[in-house]
Amino acid sequence: MTGATTILCRVHGLDRPGITAGLMGVLAESGAELYDVEQVVVRGRLSLDVLFAVPEGRSTVKDILYYGWEAEMQVDFEVIDAPPSPPRHTTAITLVAPRIGPDTFGAAAQVIAEAGANIDRIVRLSRYPVVSYELIASGGDQLAMQRSLGAAGAEHGFDVAVQEERLERRLKRMVVLDVDSTLVVGEVIDMLAAEAGKAEQVSAITGHTMDGVLDFETSLRERVSHLVGLPFEAVERVAARIELTPGARTFVRTLKRLGMRVAIVSGGFSVITDRLAAELEVDHSAANVLEVEDGHLTGRLVGQVIDRKGKADIMRRLAAEQQIPLDQVVAVGDGANDLDMLTAAGLGIAFNARRMVQEAADASLNVPYLDAVLFMLGIRDDDIEGGSVDTLRPVAGLPPV
């Protein structure tokens, strides 16, 4: 627009219907050219920013001031002389914590500034049972930002995800979940071992396996060997005691409502995961198979063991079958057995995970609510069906063999 003046107009005041429409009407009448609009409402207070160009000889500013007086809104103006900045790459930063105060926010903002990025937009995603915010930052060194935010999060008690802000981030189409200590509370193999009177021996092996000290297949076969002779009724008792992680039902239900595929891929046992899959109505389920003869466990497995590589292979196969690119897949897990799956997915989230897993994953969550993963996907608590936390019930007993 030749001979025009570029102006940033800020309108503040009590929000009510028609404010934005009225302002746009004034601009339209004056023949202004609209460049940008941003609006936010906090506790009923509207803040509306409009960037526009005013043709020479028009009384646009005077007309807007009169409109603001009529609408009982405060109006400020700023003439923008600088040319528009060239587009820069943007980064989405998600902060999650039981509480986010000014110290937490300040620490994150300082890291972002030191990485050479500028915060363009902040949106609150949730306030209960965890607080989460999404920050959109432009420019800067994303890798340095991710490393420094991880360190700041460990110091100040917040979880963080740093993702390139592009279309694919908001087009996730599949979520693949680990089961033990992710979808459910605790480790099923340890619960079965307790029924067999071998809790101490098996629990020690489980801990070393999750830390990546022991080869998964070797350790799993050794742990299962301690279950020889265990009646299948004991497996049913364990199944009746299994508790879903808080927020699991809301998490899966929300993903399904959004049209996403949900898969559970476990290094545990199909006799448990198949029941969970039916209970939660997930799309795919894969796990190891316990051998049962005459109503008792033989202490052996049937078929190939689903280990660290196997989990990632199954995720890739499921994605290929659904024609979903891996960068549109989210993987969630907690142990060394999940590492290949987490690093292969477009977004790998370590959920209450071992330190080595947190360091390798794209993002970490250390809150006890599985549906907090939704905030890492940019979903607000207002959009989550049934609220942020479900009232959970134990998984029903298994059918007889």
Side-chain angles (χ1 to χ4, degrees):
M1 185 179 290
T2 305
T5 302
T6 302
I7 294 177
L8 176 62
C9 172
R10 296 188 176 95
V11 178
H12 312 272
L14 290 174
D15 188 35
R16 59 187 182 278
I19 298 297
T20 304
L23 178 61
M24 292 300 167
V26 174
L27 292 174
E29 284 289 329
S30 71
E33 183 172 348
L34 186 65
Y35 290 155
D36 202 357
V37 181
E38 286 201 8
Q39 176 176 309
V40 65
V41 177
V42 178
R43 297 296 178 95
R45 305 289 298 185
L46 170 72
S47 179
L48 170 62
D49 288 4
V50 181
L51 185 68
F52 59 91
V54 180
E56 281 187 3
R58 296 295 179 93
S59 59
T60 308
V61 170
K62 184 187 297 183
D63 293 340
I64 292 175
L65 285 170
Y66 182 71
Y67 168 73
W69 175 77
E70 282 191 317
E72 298 180 336
M73 304 294 287
Q74 179 182 343
V75 180
D76 301 311
F77 296 97
E78 180 182 350
V79 176
I80 306 297
D81 295 324
S85 301
R88 299 193 293 174
H89 71 272
T90 55
T91 303
I93 301 133
T94 310
L95 306 178
V96 181
R99 173 190 174 274
I100 295 181
D103 53 341
T104 304
F105 228 123
Q110 182 65 33
V111 166
I112 294 169
E114 289 173 352
N118 183 68
I119 300 173
D120 297 334
R121 187 170 72 250
I122 300 174
V123 177
R124 181 188 55 78
L125 299 175
S126 66
R127 63 165 60 95
Y128 180 83
V130 295
V131 180
S132 61
Y133 288 91
E134 180 179 87
L135 290 68
I136 304 299
S138 58
D141 185 332
Q142 183 175 316
L143 185 58
M145 199 187 313
Q146 183 168 4
R147 287 195 299 262
S148 299
L149 280 170
E155 180 181 351
H156 293 273
F158 64 85
D159 297 322
V160 62
V162 179
Q163 306 171 66
E164 186 177 352
E165 174 62 348
R166 54 193 179 103
L167 185 61
E168 288 79 3
R169 184 179 81 88
R170 299 186 180 274
L171 286 178
K172 300 304 185 193
R173 296 168 56 193
M174 175 183 285
V175 174
V176 180
L177 290 161
D178 173 46
V179 175
D180 292 32
S181 298
T182 300
L183 182 64
V184 304
V185 177
E187 298 288 320
V188 171
I189 184 67
D190 292 348
M191 298 170 71
L192 292 173
E195 289 283 343
K198 300 294 181 67
E200 186 175 343
Q201 300 95 311
V202 170
S203 179
I205 301 172
T206 299
H208 289 311
T209 304
M210 291 188 67
D211 286 332
V213 176
L214 299 176
D215 170 72
F216 181 81
E217 179 173 353
T218 302
S219 85
L220 181 63
R221 292 190 185 279
E222 181 180 353
R223 285 177 288 169
V224 169
S225 70
H226 288 290
L227 306 180
V228 61
L230 184 67
F232 191 78
E233 289 82 356
V235 181
E236 292 182 310
R237 289 195 295 271
V238 167
R241 297 200 306 272
I242 289 175
E243 295 182 11
L244 291 168
T245 299
R249 292 186 191 279
T250 295
F251 181 52
V252 174
R253 186 169 59 239
T254 301
L255 294 175
K256 298 290 290 180
R257 187 164 60 91
L258 293 172
M260 298 176 67
R261 309 290 293 185
V262 183
I264 54 177
V265 180
S266 175
F269 310 115
S270 61
V271 71
I272 301 291
T273 58
D274 288 350
R275 185 70 184 189
L276 286 169
E279 181 82 8
L280 296 173
E281 299 182 352
V282 304
D283 301 291
H284 311 281
S285 172
N288 296 301
V289 181
L290 289 167
E291 186 179 72
V292 180
E293 290 182 357
D294 299 324
H296 292 75
L297 302 188
T298 66
R300 296 187 296 270
L301 295 167
V302 178
Q304 185 175 351
V305 168
I306 298 178
D307 57 6
R308 172 173 165 172
K309 179 179 181 299
K311 281 187 158 187
D313 288 344
I314 291 170
M315 181 184 72
R316 290 188 180 94
R317 175 176 58 79
L318 292 175
E321 289 174 356
Q322 299 300 316
Q323 298 183 333
I324 298 174
L326 280 178
D327 62 4
Q328 295 180 19
V329 176
V330 179
V332 186
D334 72 305
N337 201 37
D338 301 309
L339 279 171
D340 288 6
M341 181 172 75
L342 295 179
T343 55
L347 176 62
I349 300 176
F351 183 73
N352 294 303
R354 305 293 173 123
R355 175 54 58 185
M356 64 174 294
V357 180
Q358 293 190 39
E359 291 173 351
D362 299 310
S364 295
L365 272 175
N366 293 288
V367 296
Y369 310 106
L370 189 59
D371 53 349
V373 171
L374 294 169
F375 308 136
M376 296 286 188
L377 306 182
I379 299 170
R380 301 181 64 168
D381 58 358
D382 294 342
D383 299 322
I384 297 175
E385 183 180 12
S388 295
V389 181
D390 335 87
T391 301
L392 302 173
R393 63 181 186 276
V395 176
L398 294 169
V401 170

